Amino acid sequence: MSRRIYAALAATAFCGLMAACNGTGGAPEATASADAKSEAASDKKYLSQPLVSEIYTADPSAHVWNGKFYIYPSHDIDGPTPEDDLGSHFEMRDYRVLSMDKVGGKVTIGPVALDVKQVPWADKQMWAPDAAFKNGTYYLYFPAKDKQGAFRIGVATSKDPMGPFKPQAEPIKGSYSIDPAVFTDDDGQSYMYFGGIWGGQLQRNTGGKYDPNGSKTDLQADDKPALLPRVARMSGDMLEFAEAPREVKIVDEKGKLLLGGDHDRRFFEAAWMHKYKGKYYFSYSTGDTHYLAYGIGDSPYGPFTYKGRILEPVEGWTTHHSIVEKDGKWWLFYADSQLSGQTRLRNVKVTELHYNEDGTIRTIDPFVR
Ligand code: FUB
């Protein structure tokens, strides 16, 4: 059987399994992805299936509002730029919001919620977003490169969780780097976690302003503490930082900061915060070692003591997630490259997450062995 026919059959069978194909048989984007899929990838047994196949999606930030899941992903596109270590191939231009009543139910793909053309300060690369809700307004937080090539973080508002969102004219003052994740504590105070090394430019922002000639990767000091993600308390109107961003400390069981050379555990990108039984769980991607890792702390500011892995490596280079509770069950939203076999064209997934008695998280294998 030729690779093309095999891929087409696999896509048809796969569509039958998915709640999200909406009876269309797959839109052109998805058909193209099936053609490109490698046979090796088809042979793997995935723990879960893509939530949607009509568009490519990644970096899912999930929230439960009005009794439904709303998922704010990146919208991957097949751009012309070759892959590199700076992620130049992630050329996303807009956002689409997904919603579903329950895991396994029909997934609705919203219309364009925000396009880069609408954002006066942004030039390109609409990377991993997140959203928040306060006083009847939904806030979409998104990183994008400005005209100087520096990542900044913007905010846009809407009365509808699906959008469309109206952007602020300027990025959030004092913001830099990528991957905003906004957590609202039980007292109503919200915090933004953000940052990413390598293409995420955290290492180019250590001097208080963006250095275009800074390192392409990290601090290049393996025996020194690793670069740390950032956190800032949000202003009451959710449009600005209420304080200068602080470092989020991730420490080992002896209280020592993780080192730059500790690629299996140090922070790379994809910050997320959730609270379970009164403790704060800071989770993130280790990037080049492809794990989702986490630490636990007693304050939204940390420090967070490293506890282990949430997810083993998926198919594709990146891994980026969110963790959310609905009706007493906890869910891990993540992404892989199952549909396309290409890192630049990803698809979001969800699987249940379980805690051990001591509050640690059971590590998930994205493949059924
Ligand atoms: O999707 C573009 C970038 O890749 C995200 O911002 C990172 O977290 C990684 O998933």
Side-chain angles (χ1 to χ4, degrees):
M1 192 185 302
S2 82
R3 178 164 153 183
R4 225 179 145 77
I5 296 171
Y6 178 89
L9 286 176
T12 309
F14 159 78
C15 211
L17 285 173
M18 286 200 316
C21 283
N22 293 338
T24 61
E29 267 191 78
T31 309
S33 75
D35 285 351
K37 187 177 175 186
S38 75
E39 284 189 39
S42 321
D43 291 342
K44 288 182 186 157
K45 284 205 169 77
Y46 300 91
L47 177 66
S48 53
Q49 292 296 328
L51 284 177
V52 293
S53 60
E54 291 87 344
I55 58 172
Y56 291 110
T57 53
D59 312 322
S61 292
H63 294 272
V64 176
W65 288 315
N66 317 316
K68 289 169 74 154
F69 288 102
Y70 291 93
I71 304 141
Y72 298 82
S74 299
H75 176 198
D76 283 356
I77 54 168
D78 198 2
T81 306
E83 273 192 31
D84 63 20
D85 281 348
L86 296 179
S88 309
H89 47 292
F90 294 124
E91 299 172 278
M92 299 82 101
R93 304 196 60 80
D94 63 22
Y95 296 107
R96 312 272 302 262
V97 184
L98 312 179
S99 69
M100 59 186 185
D101 290 336
K102 58 178 186 180
V103 170
K106 179 177 181 296
V107 182
T108 300
I109 306 174
V112 170
L114 181 69
D115 190 292
V116 69
K117 286 197 217 99
Q118 297 167 249
V119 185
W121 60 267
D123 184 34
K124 59 182 179 181
Q125 293 184 283
M126 303 284 264
W127 283 16
D130 190 19
F133 173 74
K134 186 173 179 181
N135 296 340
T137 299
Y138 295 88
Y139 297 83
L140 179 70
Y141 298 96
F142 58 95
K145 277 189 181 159
D146 67 14
K147 320 275 181 207
Q148 285 73 47
F151 269 114
R152 309 289 305 273
I153 296 171
V155 55
T157 58
S158 176
K159 291 291 174 194
D160 187 328
M162 301 295 282
F165 288 85
K166 189 169 181 293
Q168 297 291 299
E170 300 286 337
I172 295 175
K173 273 196 282 309
S175 71
Y176 51 90
S177 196
I178 59 166
D179 291 0
V182 175
F183 162 76
T184 301
D185 209 345
D186 302 330
D187 62 2
Q189 179 60 58
S190 298
Y191 303 83
M192 181 185 287
Y193 299 83
F194 64 94
I197 61 173
W198 293 29
Q201 302 179 342
L202 197 50
Q203 74 283 353
R204 291 185 172 183
N205 282 283
T206 50
K209 75 182 210 348
Y210 176 67
D211 173 6
N213 302 311
S215 161
K216 285 190 166 166
T217 55
D218 54 19
L219 293 175
Q220 300 184 312
D222 282 359
D223 53 349
K224 298 261 168 28
L227 276 158
L228 295 169
R230 306 290 199 261
V231 59
R233 189 161 48 83
M234 297 302 292
S235 59
D237 64 7
M238 301 289 277
L239 299 176
E240 299 291 347
F241 293 155
E243 61 184 357
R246 313 178 189 192
E247 290 181 335
V248 177
K249 295 194 168 60
I250 307 170
V251 299
D252 65 15
E253 59 290 347
K254 293 189 177 124
K256 292 187 99 172
L257 287 168
L258 300 182
L259 299 182
D262 188 353
H263 289 216
D264 279 354
R265 299 192 299 173
R266 62 91 171 88
F267 173 82
F268 190 99
E269 62 187 3
W272 187 256
M273 168 62 64
H274 76 279
K275 204 171 179 182
Y276 175 73
K277 294 194 173 170
K279 297 276 186 193
Y280 296 85
Y281 287 63
F282 179 77
S283 48
Y284 56 96
S285 163
T286 63
D288 56 337
T289 48
H290 317 291
Y291 302 121
L292 288 181
Y294 74 107
I296 300 180
D298 293 316
S299 152
Y301 288 114
F304 299 99
T305 306
Y306 178 88
K307 290 292 175 185
R309 293 179 195 159
I310 297 171
L311 186 69
E312 298 289 356
V314 297
E315 180 182 351
W317 201 96
T318 66
T319 182
H320 187 135
H321 68 300
S322 58
I323 295 169
V324 69
E325 187 257 337
K326 186 173 188 298
D327 303 328
K329 286 189 171 188
W330 286 87
W331 300 99
L332 174 75
F333 287 80
Y334 64 105
D336 67 15
S337 296
Q338 177 180 341
L339 283 176
S340 72
Q342 296 181 63
T343 283
R344 72 170 74 211
L345 296 173
R346 299 159 291 178
N347 45 260
V348 299
K349 296 185 164 187
V350 62
T351 192
E352 195 171 351
L353 175 138
H354 298 275
Y355 298 89
N356 297 309
E357 278 295 305
D358 64 359
T360 54
I361 292 173
R362 269 191 239 157
T363 306
I364 295 166
D365 184 340
F367 296 102
V368 178
R369 310 269 174 200

